Amino acid sequence: MRIGMGYDVHRLVEGRPLILGGVTIPWEKGLLGHSDADVLVHAVMDALLGAAALGDIGTHFPDTDPAYKGISSLMLLKHVRELLDQNLYIIGNIDATIIAQKPKVKPYVQAMRETMAEALEIQISQINIKATTEEGLGFTGAEEGISAQAIAGLETVENYSYAVDPRQACGGCTGCGCPKR
């Protein structure tokens, strides 16, 4: 098993939509960023990329690239899933926390789980999202921004191989249907 963690923060500003976990939340302010500034999705992407040792979101989606200006973070999340697929990683689970004084996001958590699970092509039971405040402390407590943290567990395809010797095309097991048994 491989474990990765992710963290992201964005400033709250007027005149932008508030998008968390791919869900638009009605609020007087939104998050400032090059993309849609979805801190939850960004933290999850960094956790997944970290677990796979594939760098971070800044490496794959630099904020200096106009191609990512205003892009939906769910599109970026789908690309991360494709990177995991290409490198033969399987998502075990994701656990994420949104840190925001306001707005209360609990009513939207289920929709966030569904939206992100669909983008990652995983079961909803593989992703957990929590929300908390910082009791009025710090920049999130002062309602200046929102942050998110995430941890992800990945499995490798090798962990599901029944081959006795992974260097051989057929390891000689009886469960895989290999003609050399």
Side-chain angles (χ1 to χ4, degrees), residues 1 5 7 13 19-20 26 40 54 58 69 75 80 91 96 100 104 107 115 137 145 167 181:
M1 175 176 270
M5 66 88 51
Y7 173 81
V13 296
I19 301 170
L20 294 171
L40 177 60
L54 293 174
K69 178 75 174 161
M75 297 302 295
V80 168
I91 298 171
K104 297 295 182 192
T115 300
L137 301 173
R167 295 170 295 184
R181 2 178 232 193

Side-chain angles (χ1 to χ4, degrees), residues 75-155:
M75 297 302 295
L76 305 179
L77 184 62
K78 289 177 183 181
H79 182 73
V80 168
R81 179 193 37 81
E82 290 168 4
L83 288 172
L84 296 176
D85 288 348
Q86 291 166 11
N87 287 276
L88 305 177
Y89 289 109
I90 300 164
I91 298 171
N93 74 302
I94 298 165
D95 188 26
T97 304
I98 301 165
I99 300 111
Q101 194 65 36
K102 289 183 183 175
K104 297 295 182 192
V105 297
K106 187 174 182 177
Y108 306 97
V109 165
Q110 186 65 18
M112 292 178 205
R113 290 177 67 211
E114 291 169 1
T115 300
M116 292 176 67
E118 181 179 334
L120 289 168
E121 297 181 9
I122 61 175
Q123 299 297 313
I124 194 167
S125 62
Q126 291 174 269
I127 185 165
N128 187 56
I129 299 170
K130 306 176 296 287
T132 190
T133 70
E134 289 189 308
E135 303 296 329
L137 301 173
F139 69 90
T140 59
E143 300 176 34
E144 295 172 8
I146 294 176
S147 66
Q149 300 176 359
I151 298 173
L154 299 181
E155 295 289 345

Side-chain angles (χ1 to χ4, degrees), residues 1-63:
M1 175 176 270
R2 300 174 63 107
I3 307 295
M5 66 88 51
Y7 173 81
D8 196 37
V9 60
H10 284 276
R11 179 181 304 276
L12 281 164
V13 296
E14 292 182 10
R16 292 217 10 146
L18 177 58
I19 301 170
L20 294 171
V23 176
T24 301
I25 298 172
W27 187 244
E28 60 200 38
K29 294 181 180 179
L31 295 169
L32 181 62
H34 186 67
S35 66
D36 63 7
D38 188 332
V39 293
L40 177 60
V41 171
H42 292 183
V44 167
M45 287 190 298
D46 263 345
L48 292 167
L49 290 167
L54 293 174
D56 62 17
I57 61 174
T59 301
H60 293 276
F61 317 108
D63 64 5

